[in-house]
Amino acid sequence: MIIRINNLKAETIIGAYPAERKAKRKIAINLIIAYDATVAANSDKLEDALDYAAIEKIILASVAKQKFHLIEALASYVAHLVLAIERVRSVTVVIDKAKAIESADSVSVEYSVSK
């Protein structure tokens, strides 16, 4: 089964240039999480499903405490946070950094990892 979390708004220090490292900025995190949902699909019980609210809390709390120079490093960090969850088989993380360059709305990177 796939769970998608779209445009999770997180705040962190992100950027390679001194001006970018002065204050936290909002970034959007998109996740595609594959996990074995056989038990949850058959039981229809919340405790058998992947707790995406807990995933949200883990990501937001962890990312807020970190500092990153590159969105690539942030994507890898988030992917490995999610992959550490027992039921997760694989995750794709897309980090969207708004106003990263002047002529575009945003720049994004995509990172995938599996067990």
Side-chain angles (χ1 to χ4, degrees):
M1 177 121 359
I2 299 289
I3 289 180
R4 295 176 191 269
I5 299 175
N6 300 310
N7 294 316
L8 178 63
K9 302 295 190 224
E11 289 190 353
T12 191
I13 299 290
I14 183 81
Y17 300 106
E20 294 178 299
R21 304 200 56 78
K22 291 181 180 178
K24 290 183 178 181
R25 69 186 294 168
K26 287 191 180 193
I27 47 99
I29 301 172
N30 294 280
L31 303 158
I32 303 169
I33 304 167
Y35 82 107
D36 182 356
T38 305
V39 175
N42 291 322
S43 73
D44 197 26
K45 293 181 181 177
L46 182 59
E47 61 268 15
D48 294 330
L50 194 63
D51 186 347
Y52 46 83
I55 293 171
E56 171 196 31
K57 288 178 185 175
I58 290 166
I59 292 171
L60 293 180
S62 298
V63 167
K65 295 175 187 174
Q66 301 296 317
K67 296 179 181 179
F68 303 92
H69 287 96
L70 303 175
I71 55 177
E72 293 88 343
L74 174 56
S76 175
Y77 179 82
V78 170
H80 287 93
L81 279 177
V82 176
L83 194 63
I85 298 167
E86 183 180 337
R87 293 182 185 155
V88 173
R89 291 182 174 170
S90 66
V91 61
T92 297
V93 177
V94 178
I95 303 293
D96 192 43
K97 183 178 175 186
K99 310 267 189 241
I101 57 177
E102 189 176 315
S103 299
D105 291 337
S106 66
V107 171
S108 62
V109 298
E110 181 174 321
Y111 180 78
S112 299
V113 65
S114 59
K115 289 183 179 171

